[in-house]
Amino acid sequence: MALWTPDPTFYPSPRDAAAAPAERLAYVAAFDRGAERPDAIAVLDTDPSSPSYGRVVGWTDLPYTGDELHHFGWNACSSALCPYAPHPHVERRYLVVPGLRSSRIYILDTAGRVSPEIVKVIEPEELASRAGYSRPHTVHCGPEGIYVSALGGADGRDGPGGIAILDHTSFEVLGRWEVDRGPQYLAYDFWWHINHDVLVSSEWGTPSMVEDGVVGELLLGRKYGHKLHFWDLRKRRHLQEVDLGDQYQMPLELRPAHDPTRTYGFVGVVTSVEDLSASVWTWFHEDGRWQARKVIDIPAEPADPALLPDVLKPFGAVPPLVTDIDLSVDDQRLYVSCWGTGEIKQYDVGDPFKPVELGSLRIGGIVRNASHPGADGPLRGGPQMVEVSRDGKRVYVSNSLYGSWDDQFYPQGVGAWLARIDAESFTFDERFFPHGDDFRGLRPHQVRLQGGDASSDSYCYP
């Protein structure tokens, strides 16, 4: 009789994940801003002992144009080991890759191959008719299915946005996750405290609000998202909203503690309309309710208006634009990307309410155009998506954010680059810097690591 055993890249606890073998491949979503050629998944060699270390070793073109790949994730992960998981023997095998502009979702098989193979395409009509959503964004693997957040409703322009569920095996769209959404209308990221049956979601804007970049009237009118929403994960019902204050526009990326006994996490806020600063907040449960407290403030940097893009000239300053954060699997280090100023920051968050800055690196930036040891000149774009290895020793950063934002803040172009940082010394790895033509004219965005990474898995055992 055949014995079923769980996928070896599923880890019961954060401690087990941190002790697992290092990744040897990284998958990168890359897109064509002009929508004239297909987007692609690029595959990088991350094994320092390999002769092709730091190079693109695999490539999969998508069959259509105009998808704008953005975020993506695995079909299954460590949550499959939770005691109530109905699918403990699925594999971490397929990448679930949404097109943010096209509303298509691609399923790519990574098993036994370096270049993933497309095995299924979920058309936008299925997502709209089955779940009532469009513009899929974030993908997380849950114990009972694949969760996919979406910015828009079925019409592709307005809200409410929310979360759709896909079947683990067939990848069919099962339907809308929310049973009672309460006051939630805007959507973006989501995560959960899986042992406490709590889901957290954040806000950006509807497709019509974000399609063409940052709209000044909406930003200064404080119309973008500024709230967190807390949900009953099992009952799929809205519990509470926490308003950070409408001056804090666009709380985007959510990073809950990996320790399943804890109920806190971090959210990055892109900007304050009062002074162009960015911030990081800690959410927590106290006195019977969910709360949030600002724990990191990053000020804007004064600059010569002549050096600024049109969108910033009236302000005479470069906003940090915190557009991604990532929390190490041991919950000790938080990494914060300041895409505007071209800075990646490392914080000690052993006390989640009193972060201590440990280091900072500069690369790119709207004004500075800081270089890299492996580059031959100034760089545009800035540290945007940040991903941390399971053992916390390596940090990967890519430079493109979203096509319309790229054009607004870097009108001369963002180029294409991806860097790797040694977390202990907090220095750039000089050998690892795929850039320029390595990405065949596409812009790299999110990175996923073979076997999982710091933002891909949730754990049910401490």
Side-chain angles (χ1 to χ4, degrees), residues 93 109-115:
R93 172 172 177 170
D109 189 354
T110 67
R113 52 180 65 83
V114 174
S115 298

Side-chain angles (χ1 to χ4, degrees), residues 4-264:
W4 280 4
T5 57
D7 187 311
T9 71
F10 295 169
Y11 308 104
S13 70
R15 180 182 61 254
D16 294 321
E23 69 282 355
R24 294 190 175 186
L25 296 174
Y27 301 93
V28 183
F31 71 96
D32 177 41
R33 171 57 176 151
E36 296 174 352
R37 54 165 295 184
D39 296 349
I41 294 293
V43 186
L44 301 177
D45 185 337
T46 61
D47 180 359
S49 66
S50 169
S52 54
Y53 174 63
R55 299 178 189 170
V56 175
V57 293
W59 189 275
T60 303
D61 279 317
L62 300 186
Y64 303 102
T65 59
D67 289 305
E68 186 144 347
L69 299 189
H70 198 63
H71 290 200
F72 65 111
W74 292 102
N75 67 303
C77 57
S78 300
S79 64
L81 298 182
C82 290
Y84 49 80
H87 300 287
H89 303 297
V90 293
E91 299 175 87
R92 189 198 305 269
R93 172 172 177 170
Y94 300 96
L95 293 173
V96 181
V97 184
L100 186 57
R101 288 186 182 270
S102 69
S103 295
R104 291 189 189 92
I105 302 175
Y106 297 91
I107 310 300
L108 285 80
D109 189 354
T110 67
R113 52 180 65 83
V114 174
S115 298
E117 178 186 358
I118 299 169
V119 294
K120 184 179 177 69
V121 180
I122 301 170
E123 295 294 344
E125 293 79 11
E126 181 179 353
L127 182 63
S129 63
R130 301 278 297 176
Y133 290 132
S134 64
R135 307 304 180 93
H137 186 272
T138 300
V139 176
H140 284 311
C141 31
E144 70 279 71
I146 302 166
Y147 290 60
V148 182
S149 72
L151 300 183
D155 67 359
R157 291 196 56 78
D158 299 313
I163 299 171
I165 299 288
L166 276 57
D167 183 83
H168 268 140
T169 305
S170 68
F171 303 107
E172 292 178 333
V173 179
L174 298 179
R176 187 181 83 187
W177 173 74
E178 300 87 354
V179 170
D180 178 2
R181 71 170 65 254
Q184 180 266 328
Y185 186 80
L186 301 179
Y188 182 73
D189 196 14
F190 70 97
W191 247 122
W192 45 58
H193 297 293
I194 198 165
N195 274 16
H196 300 269
D197 290 339
V198 172
L199 183 143
V200 189
S201 65
S202 63
E203 297 184 338
W204 184 11
T206 64
S208 63
M209 294 169 69
V210 306
E211 181 87 335
D212 299 318
V214 179
V215 180
E217 292 80 4
L218 294 176
L219 181 66
L220 297 178
R222 307 182 182 207
K223 300 298 185 183
Y224 288 108
H226 46 87
K227 299 175 183 177
L228 301 181
H229 297 270
F230 294 85
W231 308 74
D232 185 309
L233 180 59
R234 295 293 143 220
K235 293 182 180 179
R236 298 153 56 195
R237 297 181 182 275
H238 190 279
L239 297 174
Q240 183 188 338
E241 67 177 19
V242 174
D243 194 336
L244 306 183
D246 63 11
Q247 70 270 40
Y248 296 108
Q249 291 282 282
M250 294 176 279
L252 296 185
E253 304 295 340
L254 302 167
R255 299 291 180 257
H258 295 88
D259 181 343
T261 69
R262 308 298 298 273
T263 52
Y264 71 87

Side-chain angles (χ1 to χ4, degrees), residues 394-439:
R394 295 164 300 284
V395 181
Y396 299 83
V397 293
S398 58
N399 78 314
S400 171
L401 194 157
Y402 174 53
S404 56
W405 282 42
D406 290 352
D407 296 348
Q408 277 185 302
F409 293 99
Y410 292 91
Q412 295 178 316
V414 293
W417 51 262
L418 195 149
R420 176 163 141 166
I421 298 167
D422 179 274
E424 185 172 343
S425 63
F426 209 56
T427 57
F428 287 114
D429 182 337
E430 297 185 17
R431 298 175 55 210
F432 191 100
F433 190 63
H435 62 285
D437 291 341
D438 294 334
F439 291 106

Side-chain angles (χ1 to χ4, degrees), residues 215-349:
V215 180
E217 292 80 4
L218 294 176
L219 181 66
L220 297 178
R222 307 182 182 207
K223 300 298 185 183
Y224 288 108
H226 46 87
K227 299 175 183 177
L228 301 181
H229 297 270
F230 294 85
W231 308 74
D232 185 309
L233 180 59
R234 295 293 143 220
K235 293 182 180 179
R236 298 153 56 195
R237 297 181 182 275
H238 190 279
L239 297 174
Q240 183 188 338
E241 67 177 19
V242 174
D243 194 336
L244 306 183
D246 63 11
Q247 70 270 40
Y248 296 108
Q249 291 282 282
M250 294 176 279
L252 296 185
E253 304 295 340
L254 302 167
R255 299 291 180 257
H258 295 88
D259 181 343
T261 69
R262 308 298 298 273
T263 52
Y264 71 87
F266 301 95
V267 58
V269 175
V270 174
T271 195
S272 165
V273 296
E274 294 183 343
D275 57 11
L276 294 187
S277 65
S279 54
V280 177
W281 298 59
T282 299
W283 77 73
F284 58 100
H285 194 261
E286 188 174 274
D287 298 329
R289 63 190 182 94
W290 292 98
Q291 304 179 51
R293 182 183 305 164
K294 184 166 63 170
V295 295
I296 296 173
D297 232 332
I298 305 173
E301 298 180 354
D304 181 349
L307 301 176
L308 296 174
D310 290 343
V311 69
L312 296 177
K313 285 185 186 298
F315 303 100
V318 180
L321 299 177
V322 166
T323 50
D324 196 21
I325 62 174
D326 206 13
L327 179 64
S328 62
V329 171
D330 64 4
D331 295 333
Q332 296 302 301
R333 298 288 182 267
L334 184 72
Y335 296 88
V336 179
S337 288
C338 303
W339 185 68
T341 51
E343 188 176 18
I344 175 83
K345 290 176 174 286
Q346 181 192 57
Y347 292 89
D348 180 335
V349 289

